Amino acid sequence: MRNIVLRAVLLVAVGVGIVVFHDRIAEWWDGLVGIAWSWVALAALTQFLSLHFLVLQQLVLVRAGGGTVPLRHATTTIYAGNTIASTVPVAGAPASAAYTYRRLHALGNSPALVGWALAVSGIAATATLAVVLAVGSAATGSLWGALGAFFATAAGVVPVLCLVLVLRHERSRTVVVRLATRVVTLLARWVRSLRGRDVARRIDELLTSLGAFRLSFGTATAAGLFALANWVLDVAALALALVAVGAPIPWQGLLLAWAAGALASSARLTPGGIGVVEAALASALIAVAGLPASEAVPAVLVYRLVSLWLPVGIGALLLLADPGSTARGGRRRHASTPAS
């Protein structure tokens, strides 16, 4: 019901937009017709390189924990997981994480190692996104920009410190287990499958097993740099999309405008943020970067083509080609021991 309402609202919004901005649609169309496709191809290549850094991050983290994942399967997992995250309404991120977990576990990696790798990957993504937002906020040169930089950095660092504390400190882990047990006990009143389970023991075992893995300085640095490269190259794809439509690159406000689109996408109000991200990013380019709508809207459409539709299309083809997933016949069991 919720999805039907959201789609109806989106259709109404599109209809209203056409009525209100009918005089500008011709200008936007002229911007699309005059696109320099060589720059679009370069933007697409940049986006593919961005995703490849996530592939490399997955390889580094799994292998650091003593596991294994072939490059081909890591690439397939990243693209297919991205498609699932972008197309599944509301629960796209959990569904993508579950898919990735099953793929990596089917290769013989232990559940603890896979969970640890996914956790570290999420931490690296959050922390480096905070760095990008901090730089973008500071680039405005205003007090609000400085405050934005501080809060963006804190938003990335605090969760990391909390997770490390929970995994390494026994008392903190005990508190988390108690809180989680209380939450599950309350949910068990309505969810029968949660009743009669030793939740506290299972949560404690999970946190203990995750804490058994040690993240070396080299692995942590590599994971962070790969995550940062993913974000930076995504911003570069937006910059190339602007060049493709003949618009100047607003360096001072580019990161903040991109951040508006990234935050709108994370809200997942629609599959892939369709309609929501375009509106937020175009509005930010107009308001923050000072671009005219005749340049901002075509640039956003080009950016979404290379950042959403092309990767989703490739991921969908990979899912259709190998829906059940990993290396059948070549499946091997590997001991996953904590990295030193």
Side-chain angles (χ1 to χ4, degrees), residues 47 132 230-240 254-255 258 303:
Q47 191 61 234
V132 175
N230 169 251
W231 296 126
V232 171
L233 287 172
D234 194 52
V235 177
L238 175 59
L240 290 171
L254 181 65
L255 285 176
W258 170 85
Y303 167 72

Side-chain angles (χ1 to χ4, degrees), residues 8-107:
V9 171
L10 181 59
L11 289 174
V12 171
V14 171
V16 172
I18 292 175
V19 173
V20 175
F21 299 104
H22 66 278
D23 56 333
R24 294 190 177 182
I25 291 178
E27 297 179 14
W28 299 343
W29 177 254
D30 290 339
L32 287 173
V33 171
I35 286 176
W37 289 102
S38 59
W39 287 102
V40 175
L42 185 58
L45 181 62
T46 301
Q47 191 61 234
F48 293 148
L49 184 59
S50 170
L51 288 173
H52 186 66
F53 276 109
L54 293 183
V55 174
L56 296 178
Q57 184 194 67
Q58 187 178 98
L59 292 174
V60 167
L61 290 176
V62 173
R63 292 173 181 175
T68 184
V69 53
L71 176 61
R72 179 170 65 90
H73 293 293
T75 303
T76 301
T77 301
I78 290 298
Y79 276 91
N82 176 69
T83 297
I84 293 172
S86 300
T87 56
V88 175
V90 184
S96 176
Y99 170 82
T100 303
Y101 179 90
R102 289 194 302 270
R103 291 270 300 186
L104 297 180
H105 180 46
L107 286 170

